[in-house]
Amino acid sequence: MNTSATLLPAVVRPAVEDHHWLSSDHCASPVLDLLAGLGWVIVDTPEANVHATSPDGRVYVGWLPEDATAWKHGIVWQVRVQPADGDAWVQGFGLHTPSEAVAGFLAALVAHSSR
């Protein structure tokens, strides 16, 4: 069977400089900007940790760059979820997880919960 080259999908190869977001710059802005835009309550501490809670109070997000307990477990981002009809769960993200990836995770979580 022959397949015409015009029917095959094009291979997309982003330029190397487009991959800057694949490594963490240790900046919380992508996540905090997303949460602020969603109307979450955001509180920062004198220690430079940031805590955010969803409007319904069911989701907590912590950026914990100065939390000794979080560092002990290799976590800089912590997400805690308390579903209305299920068991609570926690997801941690380490220092080398780009904030853009955490923001993407949270955007998907919010989109799923609003269905």
Side-chain angles (χ1 to χ4, degrees), residues 23-100:
S23 63
S24 181
D25 63 0
H26 311 295
C27 175
S29 298
V31 173
L32 299 179
D33 292 347
L34 170 71
L35 300 180
L38 294 171
W40 289 40
V41 175
I42 299 174
V43 177
D44 56 339
T45 68
E47 297 82 24
N49 296 312
V50 180
H51 307 276
T53 307
S54 63
D56 66 2
R58 295 186 187 278
V59 182
Y60 160 85
V61 175
W63 186 54
L64 309 169
E66 301 299 329
D67 185 294
T69 303
W71 275 92
K72 183 177 175 181
H73 294 98
I75 294 170
V76 71
W77 288 103
Q78 184 181 78
V79 179
R80 292 191 312 244
V81 178
Q82 178 59 62
D85 57 353
D87 294 331
W89 56 272
V90 177
Q91 177 64 52
F93 296 94
L95 177 65
H96 300 295
T97 304
S99 295
E100 292 84 353

